[in-house]
Amino acid sequence: MLIVETILKPDQFGGIGLFSAAFLPKGSLIWIHNPIVDIAVTPEQYETLAPTFQALLDKHAYPRDYRVSDGVIEYNADNARFMNHSSQPNTYQDDHCRILTARDVQPGEELTCNYLFFDPTCDLSWNKEPSVNVDAPTG
């Protein structure tokens, strides 16, 4: 569940992104798990849902815990589901499953996370973000 004020608006790639409404200093807590808002869906529950809601889950849900092969996915019922992927995100998840800012975030800046942290098998072939070669020399 998001605990900071955010806004939704178009991102740089033509989709929808989650943007900070205020200045967030490095280390700011922005998301905590709340089972009322962050809904766990079992494979059995998924199968009983209408195809339209299954499609929503297919787009916005992620494995609850990729280290456990139980097929349970988690769906954020608030605007957290619009947080986009970045290979250089400005947020991170700590050991207590909380999301914090990795650096200062300015008002109006898009909040991003690394999807591979939540799901190492995530298909990022759709990602339009320019690839970053971390081994390339600079300057």
Side-chain angles (χ1 to χ4, degrees):
M1 175 180 78
L2 287 167
I3 59 170
V4 296
E5 189 177 346
T6 60
I7 55 175
L8 297 178
K9 62 182 185 177
D11 65 16
Q12 63 180 327
F13 304 114
I16 295 175
L18 180 70
F19 293 79
S20 178
F23 174 73
L24 301 171
K26 179 181 178 178
S28 295
L29 182 62
I30 66 165
W31 184 94
I32 57 173
H33 184 267
N34 181 319
I36 296 169
V37 177
D38 308 305
I39 304 163
V41 180
T42 67
E44 296 79 19
Q45 291 169 323
Y46 178 92
E47 291 302 320
T48 67
L49 297 169
T52 53
F53 200 79
Q54 288 178 350
L56 181 72
L57 292 176
D58 293 345
K59 182 171 184 170
H60 291 290
Y62 52 91
R64 177 179 57 180
D65 185 345
Y66 70 86
R67 296 164 294 207
V68 179
S69 298
D70 60 4
V72 176
I73 55 176
E74 187 159 300
Y75 173 73
N76 303 123
D78 66 356
N79 286 342
R81 70 183 179 274
F82 293 103
M83 188 180 293
N84 287 320
H85 168 79
S86 174
S87 59
Q88 297 182 339
N90 55 15
T91 70
Y92 70 96
Q93 183 173 315
D94 71 5
D95 293 338
H96 304 287
C97 293
R98 303 176 307 173
I99 297 178
L100 299 96
T101 54
R103 59 170 176 75
D104 289 351
V105 174
Q106 300 301 317
E109 183 176 347
E110 185 173 8
L111 294 166
T112 58
C113 63
N114 187 334
Y115 288 1
L116 296 176
F117 182 83
F118 304 102
D119 181 8
T121 65
C122 181
D123 175 14
L124 294 176
S125 62
W126 52 266
N127 187 14
K128 300 175 188 173
E129 178 184 45
S131 59
V132 177
N133 184 350
V134 294
D135 297 327
T138 57

